[in-house]
Every structure is written in structure tokens, then in C-alpha cells.
Amino acid sequence: SICAMCFLSPVVWITFLATSHPIGISFSNQLQSRRLLTSHTSAKSSDGDMKVEKSKRIVFLRHGRTYMNDFIGGVHFGAPNFSDIFPDTPENRHRFIDSPLTPEGVEQAKNLKSVLQRTRNLKDYSADKMEEERVFGSLLDEIDLVVVSPLTRALETMDIGLYPLIKAHNIPIVANPLASERLYLVSDVGKTRNALKKMYEYVDFDSCMPNDDKPWHFQPTDDLKKAYVEWRPSGEGQLYACLGEPEDHFDRRMTELYRFLHQRPERTVVLVCHAGVIDWFLHETFGNCELRIVNFDDLRHYK
């Protein structure tokens, strides 16, 4: 992970990694995972009786592999002479600005869909069924809300890997810029709201995004440009296409995202996002297309 943040509390998670290879579902702690599925809070109803309410869960899903992931894997982010300034060709603009999924990333998203579909079809919850299968079999029917980063790689992952399985249930899907990646490179510069609305007509781009068509990603003010101190690797020939999002700005944005999730009434929320966002909340490194279910109370929400 790039951001080194303090880890405040233990996180209970259920996880699997969708890759181009056979997918496995694994648990970090079987006992804790069972508690997560059955966790609840009690509250009094209007007639004074106690009612059981499920605890809020966040389903973190990182996007599939992108062209920028491939590029960084070959030259290493921040290495001497590293640069995200590419020759201005249609191919480079497509691959690296708001970097989309590679063919491998598309396959990862398809594998994610296959695993979720397979486990959803498990209707016989007999004793010999794996606990993991029971978890993910029920997950699709319990999703109340999907929050997705407006960056193309997150939208594509959601569109391929999740949306086909939930579209019949009319679950709201909200694009929220707060869930976008910390702006490291040109790959984190997103498309305009109007362009995205034409590509994903079923996604709500109006509730959380600016009404105009101005950039919604990090935009430094004139004062910040003057006072900007490069926090990415520098001094050895590195060149960057845009100013990076300072840590204090990113911290404030993640705190706002925490508050947004906290204020939502839904109990099971899928958050389709990025490595930097996940690192901030969990201090964990996710692989491409990895998914974990986390108790909301275990999220880190302040520095």
C-alpha cells in the first residue's frame, strides 16, 4: 500500500480473490466470520417490543486489472525516470487516462460474476456445504445499495461482475466521487458526468456528483499549486502528468466517505473502489477484483 496509516481495530473479513485462475474462497477466521453473518443490534419498536436489526456491513470490492496496473508492474511506480506522461496517441489516451480494464481485468470481473452466480444457486444449505458458499450465496440477496467510484475501472468491474446478478432487484447504484482513488497518476483523472451517464444509464450519477460537467476529481486551487510539495517519489528524473492529491485532502475525503456510508440507512452496502481507499479504511492490500465483507464498526474513520 502507498499510504501508511495506523490500524485502529481488528477487522473481521470474508474474502475471495477473482483472478484469471480458478477462484478460491477463503476465510481469515471461520468463527469470527460466522459471528459476522449473525451479528445484529437490538432496538425498541414503536410498541415497545425489542426487534432484531442486522449490523451494517460494507462489501469492499476492488476493481479488476487495468492498463496502468500493467504499466506500473513493468516499470515500478516512482522508480528513477518514472513518468505517466505518454505520447499523445488515441491508444495511450484510451489506456492510461481514466485507465480501463485490460482483457485480463475483464476476465477477472467475469470470474467474479461466475463465483457469485454459482454460490447464489446453492439453495440446499446442508451441513456439508462450505461456510464460504453459504455466505456468498446469501450475499446477493441481501445487498441494499451499491456505491461505485466514477472511475471507469470501477464502473466496468461493477457492470461486468455484479450488475447482471442484481439488476432484477432494482437495487440503487450510486456513483460517488468520494470513493474514487487518491489522485496519484493520470489514470485517476475521470471522465465527465455527462459522458459517464451515456455509458451507464442505470447508474445514479446525479445524487452525489456535481450538477455541472466540471471535473469531479481532485483539482488543486491556485494557492495549493503555489504551496504544493511533491509527496510522490521525486528527485531522480520522475515526471508526473498532474499534481497528486495531498494526504490531508485525501484524509478529509475518506472521512466524508465514512460519514456518507454511516448516514445511509441500508444495512449491506457494496463499495466498488480502489486500493488507496481500501488501504485507508482497512490498512490492507487487496488484489484486483478481490472482495471482502467487513463490519461497518470495524472501519477506520479518522487519522
Short mmCIF file of all heavy atoms in Angstrom, two decimals, residues 11-62:
data_model
loop_
_atom_site.label_atom_id
_atom_site.label_comp_id
_atom_site.label_asym_id
_atom_site.label_seq_id
_atom_site.Cartn_x
_atom_site.Cartn_y
_atom_site.Cartn_z
N VAL A 11 -10.18 -6.20 12.13
CA VAL A 11 -11.22 -6.26 11.10
C VAL A 11 -11.60 -7.70 10.87
O VAL A 11 -10.75 -8.56 10.67
CB VAL A 11 -10.71 -5.63 9.78
CG1 VAL A 11 -11.74 -5.81 8.68
CG2 VAL A 11 -10.41 -4.16 9.98
N VAL A 12 -12.91 -7.97 10.91
CA VAL A 12 -13.41 -9.28 10.57
C VAL A 12 -13.72 -9.26 9.09
O VAL A 12 -14.42 -8.38 8.61
CB VAL A 12 -14.70 -9.58 11.35
CG1 VAL A 12 -15.23 -10.95 10.98
CG2 VAL A 12 -14.45 -9.49 12.85
N TRP A 13 -13.20 -10.20 8.33
CA TRP A 13 -13.48 -10.16 6.90
C TRP A 13 -13.75 -11.55 6.34
O TRP A 13 -13.37 -12.55 6.87
CB TRP A 13 -12.39 -9.48 6.11
CG TRP A 13 -11.05 -10.13 6.14
CD1 TRP A 13 -10.70 -11.32 5.59
CD2 TRP A 13 -9.87 -9.60 6.76
NE1 TRP A 13 -9.38 -11.56 5.81
CE2 TRP A 13 -8.85 -10.53 6.52
CE3 TRP A 13 -9.59 -8.43 7.46
CZ2 TRP A 13 -7.57 -10.32 6.98
CZ3 TRP A 13 -8.30 -8.23 7.91
CH2 TRP A 13 -7.31 -9.17 7.67
N ILE A 14 -14.47 -11.52 5.25
CA ILE A 14 -14.72 -12.70 4.44
C ILE A 14 -14.20 -12.34 3.07
O ILE A 14 -14.48 -11.26 2.58
CB ILE A 14 -16.23 -13.00 4.39
CG1 ILE A 14 -16.77 -13.18 5.82
CG2 ILE A 14 -16.52 -14.22 3.55
CD1 ILE A 14 -18.25 -13.10 5.89
N THR A 15 -13.42 -13.20 2.47
CA THR A 15 -12.70 -12.74 1.28
C THR A 15 -12.61 -13.80 0.21
O THR A 15 -12.60 -14.99 0.49
CB THR A 15 -11.28 -12.29 1.66
OG1 THR A 15 -10.58 -11.89 0.51
CG2 THR A 15 -10.51 -13.39 2.34
N PHE A 16 -12.61 -13.34 -1.04
CA PHE A 16 -12.12 -14.19 -2.12
C PHE A 16 -11.49 -13.31 -3.17
O PHE A 16 -11.77 -12.13 -3.27
CB PHE A 16 -13.20 -15.10 -2.72
CG PHE A 16 -14.21 -14.42 -3.59
CD1 PHE A 16 -13.95 -14.19 -4.93
CD2 PHE A 16 -15.43 -14.04 -3.05
CE1 PHE A 16 -14.90 -13.59 -5.73
CE2 PHE A 16 -16.39 -13.44 -3.85
CZ PHE A 16 -16.12 -13.21 -5.18
N LEU A 17 -10.61 -13.92 -3.94
CA LEU A 17 -9.85 -13.20 -4.96
C LEU A 17 -10.25 -13.74 -6.32
O LEU A 17 -10.12 -14.92 -6.58
CB LEU A 17 -8.36 -13.39 -4.73
CG LEU A 17 -7.40 -12.63 -5.64
CD1 LEU A 17 -7.58 -11.13 -5.45
CD2 LEU A 17 -5.97 -13.03 -5.35
N ALA A 18 -10.77 -12.86 -7.18
CA ALA A 18 -11.17 -13.27 -8.53
C ALA A 18 -10.01 -13.01 -9.48
O ALA A 18 -9.65 -11.88 -9.72
CB ALA A 18 -12.40 -12.48 -8.97
N THR A 19 -9.43 -14.05 -9.99
CA THR A 19 -8.31 -13.91 -10.91
C THR A 19 -8.62 -14.67 -12.19
O THR A 19 -9.69 -15.26 -12.34
CB THR A 19 -7.01 -14.48 -10.30
OG1 THR A 19 -7.14 -15.90 -10.19
CG2 THR A 19 -6.76 -13.89 -8.93
N SER A 20 -7.68 -14.69 -13.10
CA SER A 20 -7.88 -15.46 -14.33
C SER A 20 -7.67 -16.94 -14.09
O SER A 20 -7.85 -17.75 -14.98
CB SER A 20 -6.90 -14.96 -15.41
OG SER A 20 -5.57 -15.02 -14.93
N HIS A 21 -7.27 -17.30 -12.87
CA HIS A 21 -7.08 -18.69 -12.50
C HIS A 21 -8.30 -19.17 -11.73
O HIS A 21 -9.16 -18.39 -11.37
CB HIS A 21 -5.82 -18.82 -11.65
CG HIS A 21 -4.60 -18.24 -12.31
ND1 HIS A 21 -4.04 -18.80 -13.43
CD2 HIS A 21 -3.88 -17.13 -12.04
CE1 HIS A 21 -2.99 -18.08 -13.81
NE2 HIS A 21 -2.89 -17.06 -12.98
N PRO A 22 -8.39 -20.48 -11.43
CA PRO A 22 -9.53 -20.96 -10.64
C PRO A 22 -9.66 -20.17 -9.34
O PRO A 22 -8.68 -19.88 -8.67
CB PRO A 22 -9.16 -22.43 -10.38
CG PRO A 22 -8.29 -22.81 -11.53
CD PRO A 22 -7.51 -21.57 -11.86
N ILE A 23 -10.90 -19.84 -9.00
CA ILE A 23 -11.15 -18.97 -7.86
C ILE A 23 -11.33 -19.80 -6.61
O ILE A 23 -12.03 -20.79 -6.58
CB ILE A 23 -12.42 -18.14 -8.10
CG1 ILE A 23 -12.20 -17.25 -9.34
CG2 ILE A 23 -12.78 -17.29 -6.90
CD1 ILE A 23 -13.44 -16.51 -9.76
N GLY A 24 -10.75 -19.35 -5.51
CA GLY A 24 -10.96 -19.96 -4.22
C GLY A 24 -11.57 -18.95 -3.28
O GLY A 24 -11.32 -17.77 -3.37
N ILE A 25 -12.40 -19.42 -2.38
CA ILE A 25 -12.99 -18.57 -1.35
C ILE A 25 -12.40 -19.01 -0.03
O ILE A 25 -12.41 -20.18 0.31
CB ILE A 25 -14.52 -18.72 -1.32
CG1 ILE A 25 -15.10 -18.40 -2.69
CG2 ILE A 25 -15.13 -17.84 -0.25
CD1 ILE A 25 -16.59 -18.63 -2.79
N SER A 26 -11.87 -18.07 0.73
CA SER A 26 -11.20 -18.46 1.96
C SER A 26 -11.58 -17.52 3.09
O SER A 26 -11.99 -16.39 2.86
CB SER A 26 -9.69 -18.45 1.77
OG SER A 26 -9.24 -17.15 1.46
N PHE A 27 -11.43 -18.01 4.30
CA PHE A 27 -11.74 -17.23 5.48
C PHE A 27 -10.49 -16.98 6.29
O PHE A 27 -9.63 -17.84 6.44
CB PHE A 27 -12.73 -18.00 6.38
CG PHE A 27 -14.14 -17.87 5.94
CD1 PHE A 27 -14.56 -18.42 4.75
CD2 PHE A 27 -15.04 -17.17 6.71
CE1 PHE A 27 -15.86 -18.29 4.34
CE2 PHE A 27 -16.35 -17.03 6.31
CZ PHE A 27 -16.76 -17.60 5.13
N SER A 28 -10.39 -15.76 6.86
CA SER A 28 -9.30 -15.49 7.76
C SER A 28 -9.60 -16.05 9.14
O SER A 28 -8.70 -16.36 9.91
CB SER A 28 -9.06 -13.98 7.87
OG SER A 28 -10.22 -13.35 8.36
N ASN A 29 -10.87 -16.16 9.48
CA ASN A 29 -11.26 -16.67 10.79
C ASN A 29 -12.68 -17.19 10.68
O ASN A 29 -13.62 -16.42 10.60
CB ASN A 29 -11.16 -15.57 11.85
CG ASN A 29 -11.40 -16.11 13.26
OD1 ASN A 29 -12.37 -16.81 13.50
ND2 ASN A 29 -10.49 -15.76 14.15
N GLN A 30 -12.86 -18.50 10.68
CA GLN A 30 -14.18 -19.07 10.48
C GLN A 30 -15.15 -18.67 11.59
O GLN A 30 -16.29 -18.32 11.33
CB GLN A 30 -14.08 -20.61 10.43
CG GLN A 30 -13.46 -21.15 9.17
CD GLN A 30 -14.50 -21.27 8.06
OE1 GLN A 30 -15.67 -20.96 8.24
NE2 GLN A 30 -14.06 -21.69 6.89
N LEU A 31 -14.70 -18.70 12.84
CA LEU A 31 -15.60 -18.38 13.94
C LEU A 31 -16.05 -16.94 13.87
O LEU A 31 -17.24 -16.64 13.99
CB LEU A 31 -14.89 -18.64 15.28
CG LEU A 31 -15.71 -18.29 16.54
CD1 LEU A 31 -17.01 -19.10 16.56
CD2 LEU A 31 -14.89 -18.57 17.79
N GLN A 32 -15.11 -16.03 13.65
CA GLN A 32 -15.48 -14.62 13.56
C GLN A 32 -16.38 -14.37 12.36
O GLN A 32 -17.28 -13.54 12.42
CB GLN A 32 -14.23 -13.76 13.45
CG GLN A 32 -13.45 -13.66 14.76
CD GLN A 32 -12.28 -12.72 14.63
OE1 GLN A 32 -11.65 -12.66 13.58
NE2 GLN A 32 -11.99 -12.00 15.69
N SER A 33 -16.15 -15.11 11.27
CA SER A 33 -16.97 -14.91 10.09
C SER A 33 -18.41 -15.32 10.35
O SER A 33 -19.34 -14.69 9.89
CB SER A 33 -16.40 -15.72 8.93
OG SER A 33 -15.09 -15.28 8.62
N ARG A 34 -18.60 -16.39 11.11
CA ARG A 34 -19.97 -16.79 11.46
C ARG A 34 -20.63 -15.72 12.31
O ARG A 34 -21.80 -15.43 12.17
CB ARG A 34 -19.94 -18.14 12.19
CG ARG A 34 -19.55 -19.31 11.31
CD ARG A 34 -19.80 -20.64 12.01
NE ARG A 34 -19.38 -21.74 11.18
CZ ARG A 34 -18.23 -22.36 11.28
NH1 ARG A 34 -17.35 -21.96 12.17
NH2 ARG A 34 -17.93 -23.36 10.50
N ARG A 35 -19.86 -15.13 13.23
CA ARG A 35 -20.42 -14.05 14.04
C ARG A 35 -20.84 -12.89 13.15
O ARG A 35 -21.84 -12.23 13.40
CB ARG A 35 -19.37 -13.56 15.04
CG ARG A 35 -19.11 -14.53 16.18
CD ARG A 35 -18.17 -13.88 17.18
NE ARG A 35 -17.73 -14.83 18.18
CZ ARG A 35 -16.49 -14.94 18.62
NH1 ARG A 35 -15.55 -14.17 18.11
NH2 ARG A 35 -16.18 -15.80 19.55
N LEU A 36 -20.05 -12.61 12.12
CA LEU A 36 -20.36 -11.50 11.23
C LEU A 36 -21.70 -11.72 10.55
O LEU A 36 -22.51 -10.81 10.43
CB LEU A 36 -19.27 -11.37 10.18
CG LEU A 36 -19.47 -10.30 9.09
CD1 LEU A 36 -19.59 -8.93 9.73
CD2 LEU A 36 -18.36 -10.35 8.10
N LEU A 37 -21.96 -12.95 10.15
CA LEU A 37 -23.21 -13.23 9.44
C LEU A 37 -24.41 -13.09 10.35
O LEU A 37 -25.49 -12.71 9.92
CB LEU A 37 -23.18 -14.66 8.89
CG LEU A 37 -22.21 -14.90 7.74
CD1 LEU A 37 -22.24 -16.36 7.35
CD2 LEU A 37 -22.56 -14.02 6.57
N THR A 38 -24.25 -13.38 11.62
CA THR A 38 -25.39 -13.38 12.53
C THR A 38 -25.41 -12.17 13.43
O THR A 38 -26.27 -12.06 14.28
CB THR A 38 -25.35 -14.65 13.41
OG1 THR A 38 -24.11 -14.67 14.14
CG2 THR A 38 -25.43 -15.90 12.56
N SER A 39 -24.45 -11.26 13.27
CA SER A 39 -24.39 -10.10 14.14
C SER A 39 -25.62 -9.24 13.97
O SER A 39 -26.18 -9.12 12.88
CB SER A 39 -23.13 -9.27 13.84
OG SER A 39 -23.16 -8.78 12.54
N HIS A 40 -26.07 -8.65 15.05
CA HIS A 40 -27.27 -7.83 15.00
C HIS A 40 -27.25 -6.86 16.15
O HIS A 40 -26.48 -6.98 17.10
CB HIS A 40 -28.52 -8.71 15.07
CG HIS A 40 -28.64 -9.46 16.37
ND1 HIS A 40 -28.04 -10.69 16.55
CD2 HIS A 40 -29.26 -9.14 17.53
CE1 HIS A 40 -28.29 -11.10 17.79
NE2 HIS A 40 -29.02 -10.19 18.41
N THR A 41 -28.12 -5.88 16.07
CA THR A 41 -28.34 -4.97 17.17
C THR A 41 -29.81 -5.03 17.54
O THR A 41 -30.66 -5.37 16.72
CB THR A 41 -27.98 -3.52 16.78
OG1 THR A 41 -28.75 -3.16 15.63
CG2 THR A 41 -26.51 -3.41 16.46
N SER A 42 -30.12 -4.70 18.78
CA SER A 42 -31.49 -4.71 19.23
C SER A 42 -31.98 -3.29 19.42
O SER A 42 -31.24 -2.43 19.90
CB SER A 42 -31.62 -5.47 20.55
OG SER A 42 -31.26 -6.82 20.37
N ALA A 43 -33.20 -3.04 19.05
CA ALA A 43 -33.78 -1.72 19.21
C ALA A 43 -35.25 -1.87 19.53
O ALA A 43 -35.88 -2.88 19.19
CB ALA A 43 -33.61 -0.90 17.93
N LYS A 44 -35.81 -0.90 20.21
CA LYS A 44 -37.22 -0.94 20.55
C LYS A 44 -38.07 -0.41 19.42
O LYS A 44 -37.79 0.62 18.85
CB LYS A 44 -37.49 -0.12 21.82
CG LYS A 44 -37.03 -0.81 23.10
CD LYS A 44 -37.53 -0.07 24.33
CE LYS A 44 -37.15 -0.80 25.60
NZ LYS A 44 -37.66 -0.11 26.81
N SER A 45 -39.11 -1.16 19.09
CA SER A 45 -40.05 -0.69 18.09
C SER A 45 -41.02 0.28 18.72
O SER A 45 -40.99 0.52 19.93
CB SER A 45 -40.79 -1.88 17.47
OG SER A 45 -41.51 -2.55 18.48
N SER A 46 -41.93 0.82 17.93
CA SER A 46 -42.85 1.83 18.44
C SER A 46 -43.78 1.27 19.51
O SER A 46 -44.26 2.01 20.37
CB SER A 46 -43.68 2.40 17.29
OG SER A 46 -44.38 1.36 16.62
N ASP A 47 -44.01 -0.03 19.49
CA ASP A 47 -44.89 -0.61 20.52
C ASP A 47 -44.12 -1.11 21.72
O ASP A 47 -44.67 -1.74 22.61
CB ASP A 47 -45.72 -1.75 19.91
CG ASP A 47 -44.85 -2.85 19.34
OD1 ASP A 47 -43.61 -2.78 19.50
OD2 ASP A 47 -45.40 -3.78 18.73
N GLY A 48 -42.81 -0.82 21.78
CA GLY A 48 -42.02 -1.16 22.95
C GLY A 48 -41.35 -2.50 22.90
O GLY A 48 -40.52 -2.83 23.74
N ASP A 49 -41.70 -3.35 21.92
CA ASP A 49 -41.08 -4.67 21.79
C ASP A 49 -39.68 -4.53 21.22
O ASP A 49 -39.39 -3.61 20.46
CB ASP A 49 -41.91 -5.57 20.88
CG ASP A 49 -43.27 -5.90 21.50
OD1 ASP A 49 -43.35 -5.87 22.74
OD2 ASP A 49 -44.22 -6.14 20.73
N MET A 50 -38.82 -5.50 21.57
CA MET A 50 -37.47 -5.50 21.03
C MET A 50 -37.49 -6.13 19.65
O MET A 50 -38.15 -7.14 19.42
CB MET A 50 -36.52 -6.28 21.94
CG MET A 50 -36.38 -5.70 23.33
SD MET A 50 -35.74 -4.00 23.34
CE MET A 50 -34.07 -4.28 22.76
N LYS A 51 -36.78 -5.53 18.72
CA LYS A 51 -36.67 -6.11 17.39
C LYS A 51 -35.21 -6.29 17.05
O LYS A 51 -34.35 -5.55 17.55
CB LYS A 51 -37.35 -5.23 16.35
CG LYS A 51 -36.76 -3.84 16.19
CD LYS A 51 -37.50 -3.06 15.14
CE LYS A 51 -36.89 -1.66 14.97
NZ LYS A 51 -37.58 -0.89 13.94
N VAL A 52 -34.92 -7.27 16.21
CA VAL A 52 -33.55 -7.56 15.82
C VAL A 52 -33.23 -6.84 14.53
O VAL A 52 -33.97 -6.91 13.56
CB VAL A 52 -33.33 -9.07 15.66
CG1 VAL A 52 -31.92 -9.35 15.13
CG2 VAL A 52 -33.54 -9.78 16.99
N GLU A 53 -32.11 -6.13 14.53
CA GLU A 53 -31.68 -5.39 13.34
C GLU A 53 -30.27 -5.81 12.99
O GLU A 53 -29.38 -5.80 13.84
CB GLU A 53 -31.73 -3.90 13.64
CG GLU A 53 -31.34 -3.03 12.47
CD GLU A 53 -31.45 -1.55 12.81
OE1 GLU A 53 -32.45 -1.14 13.40
OE2 GLU A 53 -30.49 -0.81 12.48
N LYS A 54 -30.05 -6.17 11.74
CA LYS A 54 -28.72 -6.62 11.31
C LYS A 54 -27.74 -5.46 11.35
O LYS A 54 -28.07 -4.33 11.02
CB LYS A 54 -28.81 -7.18 9.90
CG LYS A 54 -29.54 -8.49 9.80
CD LYS A 54 -29.76 -8.90 8.37
CE LYS A 54 -28.45 -9.08 7.64
NZ LYS A 54 -28.66 -9.54 6.24
N SER A 55 -26.52 -5.76 11.75
CA SER A 55 -25.48 -4.75 11.75
C SER A 55 -25.14 -4.36 10.32
O SER A 55 -25.28 -5.16 9.39
CB SER A 55 -24.22 -5.28 12.43
OG SER A 55 -24.47 -5.56 13.79
N LYS A 56 -24.69 -3.13 10.14
CA LYS A 56 -24.33 -2.67 8.80
C LYS A 56 -23.04 -3.35 8.37
O LYS A 56 -22.09 -3.48 9.14
CB LYS A 56 -24.17 -1.15 8.78
CG LYS A 56 -23.76 -0.61 7.41
CD LYS A 56 -23.72 0.90 7.39
CE LYS A 56 -25.10 1.48 7.40
NZ LYS A 56 -25.12 2.95 7.14
N ARG A 57 -23.01 -3.76 7.11
CA ARG A 57 -21.83 -4.39 6.54
C ARG A 57 -21.43 -3.63 5.28
O ARG A 57 -22.29 -3.19 4.52
CB ARG A 57 -22.09 -5.85 6.16
CG ARG A 57 -22.55 -6.73 7.31
CD ARG A 57 -22.79 -8.16 6.84
NE ARG A 57 -23.84 -8.25 5.83
CZ ARG A 57 -24.14 -9.36 5.17
NH1 ARG A 57 -23.46 -10.46 5.39
NH2 ARG A 57 -25.12 -9.39 4.29
N ILE A 58 -20.13 -3.52 5.06
CA ILE A 58 -19.61 -2.94 3.83
C ILE A 58 -18.89 -4.05 3.06
O ILE A 58 -18.02 -4.73 3.60
CB ILE A 58 -18.63 -1.78 4.10
CG1 ILE A 58 -19.31 -0.72 4.99
CG2 ILE A 58 -18.16 -1.17 2.78
CD1 ILE A 58 -20.53 -0.07 4.40
N VAL A 59 -19.28 -4.24 1.83
CA VAL A 59 -18.66 -5.23 0.96
C VAL A 59 -17.66 -4.48 0.08
O VAL A 59 -18.05 -3.80 -0.87
CB VAL A 59 -19.70 -5.97 0.11
CG1 VAL A 59 -19.03 -7.06 -0.73
CG2 VAL A 59 -20.80 -6.55 0.99
N PHE A 60 -16.39 -4.56 0.42
CA PHE A 60 -15.35 -3.88 -0.35
C PHE A 60 -15.02 -4.72 -1.57
O PHE A 60 -14.70 -5.90 -1.47
CB PHE A 60 -14.09 -3.69 0.49
CG PHE A 60 -14.18 -2.59 1.50
CD1 PHE A 60 -14.65 -2.86 2.78
CD2 PHE A 60 -13.82 -1.29 1.19
CE1 PHE A 60 -14.75 -1.84 3.72
CE2 PHE A 60 -13.91 -0.28 2.11
CZ PHE A 60 -14.38 -0.55 3.39
N LEU A 61 -15.06 -4.09 -2.74
CA LEU A 61 -14.69 -4.76 -3.98
C LEU A 61 -13.71 -3.86 -4.74
O LEU A 61 -14.06 -2.74 -5.11
CB LEU A 61 -15.92 -5.03 -4.85
CG LEU A 61 -15.67 -5.54 -6.28
CD1 LEU A 61 -14.88 -6.85 -6.26
CD2 LEU A 61 -16.99 -5.71 -7.02
N ARG A 62 -12.50 -4.35 -4.93
CA ARG A 62 -11.53 -3.59 -5.72
C ARG A 62 -11.72 -3.93 -7.20
O ARG A 62 -12.08 -5.05 -7.56
CB ARG A 62 -10.10 -3.93 -5.30
CG ARG A 62 -9.06 -3.04 -5.99
CD ARG A 62 -7.64 -3.48 -5.78
NE ARG A 62 -6.73 -2.67 -6.60
CZ ARG A 62 -5.49 -3.04 -6.94
NH1 ARG A 62 -5.01 -4.21 -6.55
NH2 ARG A 62 -4.75 -2.24 -7.68
#
